[in-house]
Amino acid sequence: MKHALPGSPLTLALLLISCGEEEKQAESHGGGSHRPVIAAVSYPLAYFAERLSSDFATVLYEVPTDQDPAFWEPGDEQIAAIQKADLILLNGATYAKWVSTRTLPGETTVVTSSSFRDRLMETEGTLKHTHKEGEEAHSHDGLAFTTWLDFKQASAQASEIALALGERFPERKSTVMTRLDALLEDLNNLDTGMATATSGLGNAPVIVSHPVYQYWARAYSIVAPSLLWEPDMELTPGDMAALARIREEAPGATLFIWEDDPLPQNIEKLKRIGLTSVVISPCGNRPESGDFLSVMRANIAALQALSN
Amino acid sequence: MNPGGIAFLSWKHLSHRPMRSLTLVTAIALTLFFPRALQVFISESEDVLQERARSTPLLVGPKGSSIDLTLNSLYFTPQQLPPLTYAAYEKLSRQRFGTTIPMHSRFRAEDAPVIGTSLAYFELRELMVDSGRMITRLGDCVIGAQLSARKNLKAGDTITSSPENVFDLAGVYPLRMRITGVLAPNHTADDDAVFVDLKTTWIIEGLAHGHQDLTDPGTSGAPRESGEKVVRANASVIEFNEITDGNITSFHFHGDPGTYPLSSAILVPRDQKQRALALAAYQDKDATAQMVIPLSAVTDLADTLFATQRLALAAFRLLGVAALGLASLVFLLSFRLREREMLTYAKIGAGRILIGTLKAVEVTIVVISAMILARVAVSLTRSLATDLLSRFLN
């Protein structure tokens, strides 16, 4: 009786066929020559995706570092690239305004805040308008969107990404879930650290320069009235008057939070009226150095330094 | 006489009276053509309908005629049923039976249906962009190959949605849409349609719009109510009828998105189990939406067509018998008139068999010509059946 030897043409043919099948499977599941692409609308989501899938996927995040991803407007070619991504990670809560006016494939789009959509906060104090008599007045500002500054929400978003990756690339599911554990541990540590740091602030209100700290304030029980200041703007008497009005409404504030390093003269101006400036970066866009974790740790350290 | 001589004499006689010969050929050809053409048309129609229905596994739409729902979703016939709400579509999506594709086909542009859908529709129908690129934003559209050729439209041109009623000034919103690409032909209703993002159809419907910034003091007609944080816009505020890079950020939606309308939703179940679960989920008598298997609906329609076909065939057969009887009479009368000619053939030595053969050859030439003509006409009908069907449906 003749047997097919290891080097026989039949064995070679079978080997070639099986290799071809493996390649096909690998390609369809994120391996092989096609490296999956995961598009993200904000840096925190891009960071979570990188942590969970850097070995098998490329994260597409093209927002220029000098722009706010919440208000960035992508071009047609950038949208075309995003449409082709294997997964598109949205923040939800009306973050990235362009999403509502662009065409995205529903099947690959994941709204990472969907598990807590009933807890999203509406923005207050915005100008409303109506178009005709009897129509309900509305504003276009919508919801507070810096969801990840509540680290429990950030954990939920990371979990949603891991779930979507596991569904899209089932052969990578166990690796992704292992990495999720590590990521959740980091986020949990941030949550504990932030809770400790903010507890040292007492019950006094904290004035924030921009309306992006709503979830942070809610998560850590802080009263945080907001202005609409940019870190690089020169403070005018009008701005100082607005600040004075806020201080009247929320007396006892000694801390002023900026999104980024403010102008030195602004720090000085606030210092003269008894307000200490501190930077709590929302880290919506990719930082010039470090990453999401290091920026958040720096935020916590800055708050802890005030207590010491 | 040799066979060539018989054929020559027969041909000479037929060409000597061309009108009579042509009339006979045409009458017999039509008698043969009509029943066969009807069969071919119905058979081709059934194939075309079933092919498209097969590639559309399940449909969800408002309760009503399943055939109306199927024809509207597959062939973009005018919408007869009330709309499906976006909330119902979202509910279907959340159940995760498979891929869900929204369809909104209420509006038209340049007489072509405007189909609001998602990118998954192009994958389902294997529609590729032949020139230009896919839609990327509100106000973008890709058009079918036939529409492109018929209206001489190409990527970079614009097409404007048609008002449903020219006297209804407050009705649908004429929107000038940017054609970003022309699709490769797939020889279906898609070739004559305009495809947009679902949200674009909601702009046409007036559920979303863009306008000047009302908080800008320079905007006319934006008086602020004293004591309230509300601006009441009046008619002088300019609403945009075209979406551009400059005004896209001003477009926004009003009201509860859950109430926004769709015509239907296509469901492509992940597997047989999900298909069964999806069908079971819509069995509830109190459900406001229905789930339809397009293939079943099309088969029902084909059955109706077959019943009609049987009636028509019976009528055609009777007409055919009458027409063939008339043709036979024409031949008999013709041979009677040619008796002296036949006597001459006999006097110069032609036997009865030869004269009979001569007559038979004449009849055969006419009948074969009629059969060839009928065959050509049937082939033509077969090739045009798809287009004819699309025209009948629209």
PDB file of all heavy atoms in Angstrom, chain A residues 196-223:
ATOM      1  N   THR A 196      -9.569  61.078  45.899  1.00  0.00           N
ATOM      2  CA  THR A 196      -8.756  61.489  47.046  1.00  0.00           C
ATOM      3  C   THR A 196      -8.316  62.941  46.889  1.00  0.00           C
ATOM      4  O   THR A 196      -8.417  63.737  47.828  1.00  0.00           O
ATOM      5  CB  THR A 196      -7.507  60.575  47.158  1.00  0.00           C
ATOM      6  OG1 THR A 196      -7.945  59.229  47.109  1.00  0.00           O
ATOM      7  CG2 THR A 196      -6.738  60.832  48.435  1.00  0.00           C
ATOM      8  N   ALA A 197      -7.851  63.268  45.672  1.00  0.00           N
ATOM      9  CA  ALA A 197      -7.336  64.630  45.434  1.00  0.00           C
ATOM     10  C   ALA A 197      -8.440  65.669  45.588  1.00  0.00           C
ATOM     11  O   ALA A 197      -8.219  66.740  46.163  1.00  0.00           O
ATOM     12  CB  ALA A 197      -6.732  64.705  44.039  1.00  0.00           C
ATOM     13  N   THR A 198      -9.628  65.383  45.082  1.00  0.00           N
ATOM     14  CA  THR A 198     -10.711  66.376  45.140  1.00  0.00           C
ATOM     15  C   THR A 198     -11.331  66.448  46.531  1.00  0.00           C
ATOM     16  O   THR A 198     -11.885  67.481  46.898  1.00  0.00           O
ATOM     17  CB  THR A 198     -11.817  66.053  44.109  1.00  0.00           C
ATOM     18  OG1 THR A 198     -12.191  64.684  44.244  1.00  0.00           O
ATOM     19  CG2 THR A 198     -11.348  66.321  42.706  1.00  0.00           C
ATOM     20  N   SER A 199     -11.202  65.365  47.306  1.00  0.00           N
ATOM     21  CA  SER A 199     -11.758  65.422  48.665  1.00  0.00           C
ATOM     22  C   SER A 199     -11.002  66.452  49.503  1.00  0.00           C
ATOM     23  O   SER A 199     -11.560  67.038  50.427  1.00  0.00           O
ATOM     24  CB  SER A 199     -11.707  64.038  49.317  1.00  0.00           C
ATOM     25  OG  SER A 199     -10.363  63.658  49.503  1.00  0.00           O
ATOM     26  N   GLY A 200      -9.746  66.670  49.146  1.00  0.00           N
ATOM     27  CA  GLY A 200      -8.942  67.665  49.861  1.00  0.00           C
ATOM     28  C   GLY A 200      -9.376  69.091  49.570  1.00  0.00           C
ATOM     29  O   GLY A 200      -8.924  70.036  50.231  1.00  0.00           O
ATOM     30  N   LEU A 201     -10.230  69.290  48.574  1.00  0.00           N
ATOM     31  CA  LEU A 201     -10.653  70.653  48.210  1.00  0.00           C
ATOM     32  C   LEU A 201     -11.780  71.157  49.101  1.00  0.00           C
ATOM     33  O   LEU A 201     -12.130  72.345  49.061  1.00  0.00           O
ATOM     34  CB  LEU A 201     -11.131  70.683  46.749  1.00  0.00           C
ATOM     35  CG  LEU A 201     -10.113  70.252  45.696  1.00  0.00           C
ATOM     36  CD1 LEU A 201     -10.754  70.244  44.316  1.00  0.00           C
ATOM     37  CD2 LEU A 201      -8.901  71.170  45.707  1.00  0.00           C
ATOM     38  N   GLY A 202     -12.363  70.252  49.894  1.00  0.00           N
ATOM     39  CA  GLY A 202     -13.475  70.654  50.751  1.00  0.00           C
ATOM     40  C   GLY A 202     -14.743  70.893  49.962  1.00  0.00           C
ATOM     41  O   GLY A 202     -14.892  70.412  48.834  1.00  0.00           O
ATOM     42  N   ASN A 203     -15.657  71.682  50.519  1.00  0.00           N
ATOM     43  CA  ASN A 203     -16.951  71.913  49.870  1.00  0.00           C
ATOM     44  C   ASN A 203     -16.995  73.211  49.066  1.00  0.00           C
ATOM     45  O   ASN A 203     -18.039  73.561  48.508  1.00  0.00           O
ATOM     46  CB  ASN A 203     -18.068  71.946  50.918  1.00  0.00           C
ATOM     47  CG  ASN A 203     -18.224  70.578  51.565  1.00  0.00           C
ATOM     48  OD1 ASN A 203     -18.043  69.551  50.910  1.00  0.00           O
ATOM     49  ND2 ASN A 203     -18.507  70.560  52.860  1.00  0.00           N
ATOM     50  N   ALA A 204     -15.897  73.922  49.036  1.00  0.00           N
ATOM     51  CA  ALA A 204     -15.885  75.215  48.332  1.00  0.00           C
ATOM     52  C   ALA A 204     -16.058  74.996  46.828  1.00  0.00           C
ATOM     53  O   ALA A 204     -15.541  74.017  46.279  1.00  0.00           O
ATOM     54  CB  ALA A 204     -14.566  75.922  48.606  1.00  0.00           C
ATOM     55  N   PRO A 205     -16.796  75.898  46.150  1.00  0.00           N
ATOM     56  CA  PRO A 205     -16.914  75.751  44.693  1.00  0.00           C
ATOM     57  C   PRO A 205     -15.579  75.975  43.988  1.00  0.00           C
ATOM     58  O   PRO A 205     -14.692  76.635  44.529  1.00  0.00           O
ATOM     59  CB  PRO A 205     -17.940  76.824  44.307  1.00  0.00           C
ATOM     60  CG  PRO A 205     -17.987  77.765  45.433  1.00  0.00           C
ATOM     61  CD  PRO A 205     -17.534  77.049  46.668  1.00  0.00           C
ATOM     62  N   VAL A 206     -15.481  75.417  42.825  1.00  0.00           N
ATOM     63  CA  VAL A 206     -14.275  75.567  41.994  1.00  0.00           C
ATOM     64  C   VAL A 206     -14.728  76.207  40.694  1.00  0.00           C
ATOM     65  O   VAL A 206     -15.653  75.709  40.045  1.00  0.00           O
ATOM     66  CB  VAL A 206     -13.662  74.175  41.706  1.00  0.00           C
ATOM     67  CG1 VAL A 206     -12.539  74.288  40.709  1.00  0.00           C
ATOM     68  CG2 VAL A 206     -13.168  73.532  42.991  1.00  0.00           C
ATOM     69  N   ILE A 207     -14.120  77.323  40.312  1.00  0.00           N
ATOM     70  CA  ILE A 207     -14.529  77.979  39.067  1.00  0.00           C
ATOM     71  C   ILE A 207     -13.709  77.392  37.915  1.00  0.00           C
ATOM     72  O   ILE A 207     -12.487  77.263  38.023  1.00  0.00           O
ATOM     73  CB  ILE A 207     -14.336  79.505  39.159  1.00  0.00           C
ATOM     74  CG1 ILE A 207     -15.166  80.046  40.334  1.00  0.00           C
ATOM     75  CG2 ILE A 207     -14.759  80.189  37.858  1.00  0.00           C
ATOM     76  CD1 ILE A 207     -14.931  81.502  40.652  1.00  0.00           C
ATOM     77  N   VAL A 208     -14.393  77.028  36.863  1.00  0.00           N
ATOM     78  CA  VAL A 208     -13.683  76.436  35.717  1.00  0.00           C
ATOM     79  C   VAL A 208     -13.749  77.386  34.519  1.00  0.00           C
ATOM     80  O   VAL A 208     -14.729  78.113  34.336  1.00  0.00           O
ATOM     81  CB  VAL A 208     -14.257  75.040  35.341  1.00  0.00           C
ATOM     82  CG1 VAL A 208     -14.059  74.054  36.475  1.00  0.00           C
ATOM     83  CG2 VAL A 208     -15.724  75.114  34.944  1.00  0.00           C
ATOM     84  N   SER A 209     -12.692  77.354  33.720  1.00  0.00           N
ATOM     85  CA  SER A 209     -12.568  78.326  32.628  1.00  0.00           C
ATOM     86  C   SER A 209     -13.444  77.990  31.432  1.00  0.00           C
ATOM     87  O   SER A 209     -13.721  78.846  30.600  1.00  0.00           O
ATOM     88  CB  SER A 209     -11.110  78.392  32.174  1.00  0.00           C
ATOM     89  OG  SER A 209     -10.730  77.133  31.649  1.00  0.00           O
ATOM     90  N   HIS A 210     -13.876  76.743  31.320  1.00  0.00           N
ATOM     91  CA  HIS A 210     -14.587  76.300  30.108  1.00  0.00           C
ATOM     92  C   HIS A 210     -15.632  75.253  30.501  1.00  0.00           C
ATOM     93  O   HIS A 210     -15.363  74.449  31.406  1.00  0.00           O
ATOM     94  CB  HIS A 210     -13.587  75.684  29.120  1.00  0.00           C
ATOM     95  CG  HIS A 210     -13.860  76.038  27.706  1.00  0.00           C
ATOM     96  ND1 HIS A 210     -13.539  77.263  27.170  1.00  0.00           N
ATOM     97  CD2 HIS A 210     -14.437  75.342  26.702  1.00  0.00           C
ATOM     98  CE1 HIS A 210     -13.895  77.292  25.898  1.00  0.00           C
ATOM     99  NE2 HIS A 210     -14.458  76.140  25.597  1.00  0.00           N
ATOM    100  N   PRO A 211     -16.773  75.220  29.817  1.00  0.00           N
ATOM    101  CA  PRO A 211     -17.809  74.237  30.216  1.00  0.00           C
ATOM    102  C   PRO A 211     -17.514  72.828  29.710  1.00  0.00           C
ATOM    103  O   PRO A 211     -18.209  72.291  28.858  1.00  0.00           O
ATOM    104  CB  PRO A 211     -19.086  74.812  29.583  1.00  0.00           C
ATOM    105  CG  PRO A 211     -18.621  75.589  28.413  1.00  0.00           C
ATOM    106  CD  PRO A 211     -17.255  76.117  28.746  1.00  0.00           C
ATOM    107  N   VAL A 212     -16.434  72.242  30.241  1.00  0.00           N
ATOM    108  CA  VAL A 212     -16.079  70.871  29.841  1.00  0.00           C
ATOM    109  C   VAL A 212     -15.884  69.961  31.062  1.00  0.00           C
ATOM    110  O   VAL A 212     -15.479  68.809  30.905  1.00  0.00           O
ATOM    111  CB  VAL A 212     -14.794  70.841  28.977  1.00  0.00           C
ATOM    112  CG1 VAL A 212     -15.040  71.463  27.623  1.00  0.00           C
ATOM    113  CG2 VAL A 212     -13.643  71.493  29.691  1.00  0.00           C
ATOM    114  N   TYR A 213     -16.185  70.489  32.242  1.00  0.00           N
ATOM    115  CA  TYR A 213     -15.881  69.715  33.453  1.00  0.00           C
ATOM    116  C   TYR A 213     -17.134  69.166  34.137  1.00  0.00           C
ATOM    117  O   TYR A 213     -17.096  68.788  35.299  1.00  0.00           O
ATOM    118  CB  TYR A 213     -15.103  70.593  34.440  1.00  0.00           C
ATOM    119  CG  TYR A 213     -13.753  71.014  33.914  1.00  0.00           C
ATOM    120  CD1 TYR A 213     -13.582  72.246  33.284  1.00  0.00           C
ATOM    121  CD2 TYR A 213     -12.653  70.167  34.025  1.00  0.00           C
ATOM    122  CE1 TYR A 213     -12.352  72.631  32.786  1.00  0.00           C
ATOM    123  CE2 TYR A 213     -11.411  70.550  33.536  1.00  0.00           C
ATOM    124  CZ  TYR A 213     -11.274  71.784  32.909  1.00  0.00           C
ATOM    125  OH  TYR A 213     -10.047  72.148  32.418  1.00  0.00           O
ATOM    126  N   GLN A 214     -18.273  69.124  33.421  1.00  0.00           N
ATOM    127  CA  GLN A 214     -19.545  68.748  34.054  1.00  0.00           C
ATOM    128  C   GLN A 214     -19.495  67.347  34.671  1.00  0.00           C
ATOM    129  O   GLN A 214     -19.954  67.146  35.802  1.00  0.00           O
ATOM    130  CB  GLN A 214     -20.692  68.804  33.030  1.00  0.00           C
ATOM    131  CG  GLN A 214     -20.948  70.177  32.435  1.00  0.00           C
ATOM    132  CD  GLN A 214     -20.182  70.406  31.135  1.00  0.00           C
ATOM    133  OE1 GLN A 214     -19.140  69.790  30.885  1.00  0.00           O
ATOM    134  NE2 GLN A 214     -20.678  71.305  30.312  1.00  0.00           N
ATOM    135  N   TYR A 215     -18.977  66.376  33.922  1.00  0.00           N
ATOM    136  CA  TYR A 215     -18.976  64.989  34.436  1.00  0.00           C
ATOM    137  C   TYR A 215     -17.948  64.825  35.556  1.00  0.00           C
ATOM    138  O   TYR A 215     -18.167  64.073  36.504  1.00  0.00           O
ATOM    139  CB  TYR A 215     -18.694  64.002  33.295  1.00  0.00           C
ATOM    140  CG  TYR A 215     -19.799  64.006  32.264  1.00  0.00           C
ATOM    141  CD1 TYR A 215     -19.605  64.587  31.007  1.00  0.00           C
ATOM    142  CD2 TYR A 215     -21.046  63.465  32.552  1.00  0.00           C
ATOM    143  CE1 TYR A 215     -20.619  64.621  30.073  1.00  0.00           C
ATOM    144  CE2 TYR A 215     -22.076  63.494  31.617  1.00  0.00           C
ATOM    145  CZ  TYR A 215     -21.853  64.077  30.373  1.00  0.00           C
ATOM    146  OH  TYR A 215     -22.873  64.115  29.455  1.00  0.00           O
ATOM    147  N   TRP A 216     -16.844  65.531  35.439  1.00  0.00           N
ATOM    148  CA  TRP A 216     -15.815  65.512  36.487  1.00  0.00           C
ATOM    149  C   TRP A 216     -16.416  66.050  37.783  1.00  0.00           C
ATOM    150  O   TRP A 216     -16.260  65.451  38.855  1.00  0.00           O
ATOM    151  CB  TRP A 216     -14.631  66.367  36.021  1.00  0.00           C
ATOM    152  CG  TRP A 216     -13.566  66.595  37.043  1.00  0.00           C
ATOM    153  CD1 TRP A 216     -12.606  65.709  37.437  1.00  0.00           C
ATOM    154  CD2 TRP A 216     -13.349  67.791  37.794  1.00  0.00           C
ATOM    155  NE1 TRP A 216     -11.796  66.285  38.387  1.00  0.00           N
ATOM    156  CE2 TRP A 216     -12.238  67.560  38.616  1.00  0.00           C
ATOM    157  CE3 TRP A 216     -13.981  69.029  37.851  1.00  0.00           C
ATOM    158  CZ2 TRP A 216     -11.738  68.531  39.490  1.00  0.00           C
ATOM    159  CZ3 TRP A 216     -13.488  69.991  38.712  1.00  0.00           C
ATOM    160  CH2 TRP A 216     -12.383  69.743  39.520  1.00  0.00           C
ATOM    161  N   ALA A 217     -17.129  67.188  37.660  1.00  0.00           N
ATOM    162  CA  ALA A 217     -17.742  67.808  38.831  1.00  0.00           C
ATOM    163  C   ALA A 217     -18.803  66.882  39.436  1.00  0.00           C
ATOM    164  O   ALA A 217     -18.867  66.735  40.659  1.00  0.00           O
ATOM    165  CB  ALA A 217     -18.363  69.146  38.435  1.00  0.00           C
ATOM    166  N   ARG A 218     -19.597  66.259  38.589  1.00  0.00           N
ATOM    167  CA  ARG A 218     -20.650  65.367  39.116  1.00  0.00           C
ATOM    168  C   ARG A 218     -20.043  64.135  39.787  1.00  0.00           C
ATOM    169  O   ARG A 218     -20.482  63.717  40.865  1.00  0.00           O
ATOM    170  CB  ARG A 218     -21.571  64.925  37.972  1.00  0.00           C
ATOM    171  CG  ARG A 218     -22.735  64.079  38.456  1.00  0.00           C
ATOM    172  CD  ARG A 218     -23.665  63.725  37.318  1.00  0.00           C
ATOM    173  NE  ARG A 218     -23.074  62.747  36.399  1.00  0.00           N
ATOM    174  CZ  ARG A 218     -23.694  62.277  35.325  1.00  0.00           C
ATOM    175  NH1 ARG A 218     -24.918  62.703  35.019  1.00  0.00           N
ATOM    176  NH2 ARG A 218     -23.109  61.401  34.548  1.00  0.00           N
ATOM    177  N   ALA A 219     -18.997  63.584  39.168  1.00  0.00           N
ATOM    178  CA  ALA A 219     -18.399  62.350  39.697  1.00  0.00           C
ATOM    179  C   ALA A 219     -17.744  62.577  41.052  1.00  0.00           C
ATOM    180  O   ALA A 219     -17.776  61.694  41.912  1.00  0.00           O
ATOM    181  CB  ALA A 219     -17.387  61.803  38.700  1.00  0.00           C
ATOM    182  N   TYR A 220     -17.150  63.765  41.225  1.00  0.00           N
ATOM    183  CA  TYR A 220     -16.386  63.980  42.458  1.00  0.00           C
ATOM    184  C   TYR A 220     -17.049  65.029  43.357  1.00  0.00           C
ATOM    185  O   TYR A 220     -16.396  65.634  44.202  1.00  0.00           O
ATOM    186  CB  TYR A 220     -14.928  64.320  42.097  1.00  0.00           C
ATOM    187  CG  TYR A 220     -14.357  63.237  41.217  1.00  0.00           C
ATOM    188  CD1 TYR A 220     -14.190  63.422  39.850  1.00  0.00           C
ATOM    189  CD2 TYR A 220     -14.076  61.967  41.755  1.00  0.00           C
ATOM    190  CE1 TYR A 220     -13.738  62.394  39.040  1.00  0.00           C
ATOM    191  CE2 TYR A 220     -13.625  60.938  40.941  1.00  0.00           C
ATOM    192  CZ  TYR A 220     -13.467  61.153  39.590  1.00  0.00           C
ATOM    193  OH  TYR A 220     -13.030  60.122  38.796  1.00  0.00           O
ATOM    194  N   SER A 221     -18.356  65.218  43.126  1.00  0.00           N
ATOM    195  CA  SER A 221     -19.196  66.072  43.987  1.00  0.00           C
ATOM    196  C   SER A 221     -18.599  67.466  44.179  1.00  0.00           C
ATOM    197  O   SER A 221     -18.350  67.908  45.299  1.00  0.00           O
ATOM    198  CB  SER A 221     -19.401  65.407  45.349  1.00  0.00           C
ATOM    199  OG  SER A 221     -19.865  64.105  45.187  1.00  0.00           O
ATOM    200  N   ILE A 222     -18.345  68.103  43.073  1.00  0.00           N
ATOM    201  CA  ILE A 222     -17.765  69.451  43.114  1.00  0.00           C
ATOM    202  C   ILE A 222     -18.756  70.420  42.481  1.00  0.00           C
ATOM    203  O   ILE A 222     -19.352  70.128  41.444  1.00  0.00           O
ATOM    204  CB  ILE A 222     -16.421  69.487  42.324  1.00  0.00           C
ATOM    205  CG1 ILE A 222     -15.420  68.560  42.991  1.00  0.00           C
ATOM    206  CG2 ILE A 222     -15.873  70.899  42.226  1.00  0.00           C
ATOM    207  CD1 ILE A 222     -14.238  68.228  42.118  1.00  0.00           C
ATOM    208  N   VAL A 223     -18.920  71.576  43.112  1.00  0.00           N
ATOM    209  CA  VAL A 223     -19.710  72.645  42.496  1.00  0.00           C
ATOM    210  C   VAL A 223     -18.748  73.407  41.595  1.00  0.00           C
ATOM    211  O   VAL A 223     -17.743  73.934  42.078  1.00  0.00           O
ATOM    212  CB  VAL A 223     -20.331  73.563  43.563  1.00  0.00           C
ATOM    213  CG1 VAL A 223     -21.072  74.716  42.907  1.00  0.00           C
ATOM    214  CG2 VAL A 223     -21.245  72.768  44.476  1.00  0.00           C
TER     215      VAL A 223
END
